């Protein structure tokens, strides 16, 4: 939950205020209606504790009764994910393997009934 929350915060670092409700929906989806503010507060506390341990004392700041905002002293650069050509080939490799299997089974059945 912490990693999902931190990821959401980083993705929305440029926003003036990241609303508590938006974070809750991102973390718990439709179940966010049934979660308490304490759950989000605890998650944010744990993230702050982890970041402090890593030397990032004030990465985000609480905006009372609204949400949080990323500190202006923090620089966040979102990098584009590069898609590996191997990832694009995976479905084709699976399809090729399936077709080869079907051909081998068909050939085996054909030879079995021909003899």
């Amino acid at each position: 939950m912490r990693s999902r929350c931190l990821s959401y915060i980083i993705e929305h670092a440029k926003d003036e205020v990241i609303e508590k409700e938006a974070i809750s929906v991102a973390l718990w989806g439709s179940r966010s209606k049934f979660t308490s503010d304490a759950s989000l507060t605890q998650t944010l506390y744990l993230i702050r504790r982890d970041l402090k341990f890593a030397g990032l004392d004030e990465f985000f700041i609480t905006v009372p009764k609204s949400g949080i905002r990323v500190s202006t002293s923090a620089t966040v650069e979102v990098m584009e994910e590069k898609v590996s050509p191997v990832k694009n080939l995976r479905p084709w490799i699976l399809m090729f393997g399936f077709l080869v299997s079907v051909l081998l089974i068909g050939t085996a059945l054909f030879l079995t009934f021909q003899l």
Side-chain angles (χ1 to χ4, degrees):
M1 205 50 71
R2 283 184 269 175
S3 62
R4 288 173 59 190
C5 185
L6 182 58
S7 177
Y8 186 84
I9 292 168
I10 291 170
E11 288 172 10
H12 294 86
K14 302 290 184 203
D15 296 354
E16 184 68 28
V17 174
I18 306 169
E19 301 289 332
K20 288 191 298 187
E21 186 176 320
I23 298 171
S24 290
V25 169
L27 296 179
W28 292 287
S30 61
R31 295 178 298 154
S32 67
K33 297 173 189 172
F34 308 107
T35 58
S36 68
D37 278 349
S39 298
L40 180 58
T41 301
Q42 178 69 14
T43 302
L44 293 173
Y45 163 76
L46 293 171
I47 292 170
R48 277 191 175 102
R49 185 192 66 190
D50 295 343
L51 291 174
K52 186 175 184 176
F53 182 75
L56 298 168
D57 290 346
E58 292 187 18
F59 179 69
F60 57 89
I61 301 160
T62 299
V63 178
K65 300 186 184 201
S66 294
I68 62 169
R69 69 176 172 82
V70 175
S71 174
T72 55
S73 63
T75 303
V76 177
E77 293 182 30
V78 179
M79 298 172 56
E80 290 185 34
E81 181 181 344
K82 293 183 180 181
V83 178
S84 167
V86 175
K87 287 183 181 178
N88 289 337
L89 288 177
R90 188 158 190 220
W92 292 104
I93 291 170
L94 292 174
M95 181 63 82
F96 180 74
F98 174 75
L99 289 174
V100 168
S101 298
V102 168
L103 287 172
L104 289 174
I105 291 170
T107 303
L109 289 173
F110 177 78
L111 292 175
T112 300
F113 289 114
Q114 290 296 322
L115 297 175

